[in-house]
Amino acid sequence: MKKSTNIAVILAGGSGQRFGTALPKQFLPLAGRTVMEYSVEAFERNSGIDEIAVVMNADYLPQMQEIIDRNGWLKVRKLLPGGAERYLSTLAAINAYKSVDNVNLIFHDAARPAVSQRIINDVVTALQTHPAVAVAIPATDTVFQVTDDGGRITDIPVRSRLRCAQTPQAFRIDVIREAYCRALQDPNFTSTDDCGVLLRYCPEVPISVVQGDVSNRKLTYPDDAIMLEQTLNLER
């Protein structure tokens, strides 16, 4: 059986609006490098990754090319313009590789610069036997389900069965492509992540879960930058 090609897709479409910066947060400097550099470098140096594609706002593609040239990365083969919504960036990657057979797409948020080699290795290994793979950590807080207005608790799910999602999220390309084909036929389609699209529109496809790490946090608010910088300094 032919070995699958593992393609890491770095999703860098964030605007920095919630973070409160003029530039997208993936260009924020942390511990001597930009957030984007840490995220791409993690996949560049992993032996299980064959190729990297970066998806981002078209206005920043020249700036990204400068970062690629400066670092001398060899695996970054595609720079793709992303869409206004996250799912449009995923679709850009799916379409870019639609003519390539036997491909796994491994989607990672550029705003998670502290992803470990262990997590990437576990995802790549899981893809050998599973069509879809998520990364998650156990929920540590009790979670309330509430009414639409948030004013009343309607349910308290069993915490031992709850997980907090991280990235990467990885899929055999035919699986995630079919999920989006079905999703785009739904006039009420909304999306926050790719596993959610697969679960809703291809529920027959099992999604395996591998253990994440608390250090694999997402840069969303200024306080996250403080924690991530501490983590990245320790790893240097």
Side-chain angles (χ1 to χ4, degrees):
M1 184 176 177
K2 184 181 176 183
K3 178 182 177 294
S4 296
T5 300
N6 293 318
I7 299 172
V9 180
I10 310 300
L11 299 173
S15 64
Q17 183 175 5
R18 280 183 294 177
F19 193 77
T21 55
L23 276 177
K25 58 191 174 185
Q26 56 265 28
F27 294 117
L28 180 78
L30 284 182
R33 306 181 79 181
T34 64
V35 170
M36 173 62 77
E37 285 176 284
Y38 285 108
S39 296
V40 175
E41 180 70 27
F43 292 89
E44 172 75 21
R45 64 190 180 93
N46 188 281
S47 61
I49 300 300
D50 301 297
E51 184 173 332
I52 298 171
V54 177
V55 189
M56 66 177 6
N57 185 308
D59 292 342
Y60 297 102
L61 290 178
Q63 190 167 343
M64 187 63 218
Q65 186 62 60
E66 291 177 5
I67 291 175
I68 294 168
D69 295 341
R70 182 171 72 239
N71 284 276
W73 292 322
L74 300 177
K75 292 182 182 179
V76 182
R77 310 280 173 76
K78 292 187 190 311
L79 281 179
L80 304 171
E85 302 288 338
R86 186 188 188 283
Y87 79 91
L88 293 173
S89 294
T90 294
L91 284 172
I94 293 172
N95 291 330
Y97 291 98
K98 63 183 178 182
S99 61
V100 184
D101 294 327
N102 208 23
V103 162
N104 296 322
L105 296 181
I106 302 169
F107 296 99
H108 184 66
D109 294 329
R112 292 185 187 271
V115 61
S116 68
Q117 293 300 298
R118 193 273 302 164
I119 289 176
I120 299 172
N121 289 338
D122 286 354
V123 169
V124 169
T125 299
L127 280 170
Q128 295 174 10
T129 52
H130 297 86
V133 180
V135 174
I137 58 174
T140 56
D141 296 318
T142 297
V143 176
F144 294 155
Q145 182 174 320
V146 299
T147 53
D148 289 342
D149 64 3
R152 182 169 57 86
I153 295 173
T154 60
D155 192 19
I156 303 177
V158 178
R159 190 172 63 186
S160 63
R161 298 180 61 188
L162 297 178
R163 298 293 183 271
C164 298
Q166 298 184 337
T167 64
Q169 294 185 354
F171 312 87
R172 295 175 188 166
I173 192 170
D174 56 322
V175 165
I176 193 64
R177 182 169 53 211
E178 177 60 24
Y180 272 99
C181 282
R182 297 181 190 181
L184 294 175
Q185 296 174 37
D186 179 1
N188 298 313
F189 168 62
T190 58
S191 168
T192 57
D193 77 322
D194 301 311
C195 281
V197 174
L198 184 63
L199 183 64
R200 180 173 180 181
Y201 294 99
C202 292
E204 70 278 8
V205 178
I207 304 173
S208 177
V209 179
V210 302
Q211 181 70 28
D213 194 292
V214 292
S215 65
N216 185 28
R217 66 188 302 137
K218 187 175 182 180
L219 179 62
T220 304
Y221 300 107
D223 284 351
D224 297 321
I226 297 171
M227 299 296 293
L228 280 166
E229 190 154 41
Q230 291 174 349
T231 298
L232 294 168
N233 274 321
L234 286 173
E235 293 177 352
R236 293 175 68 180

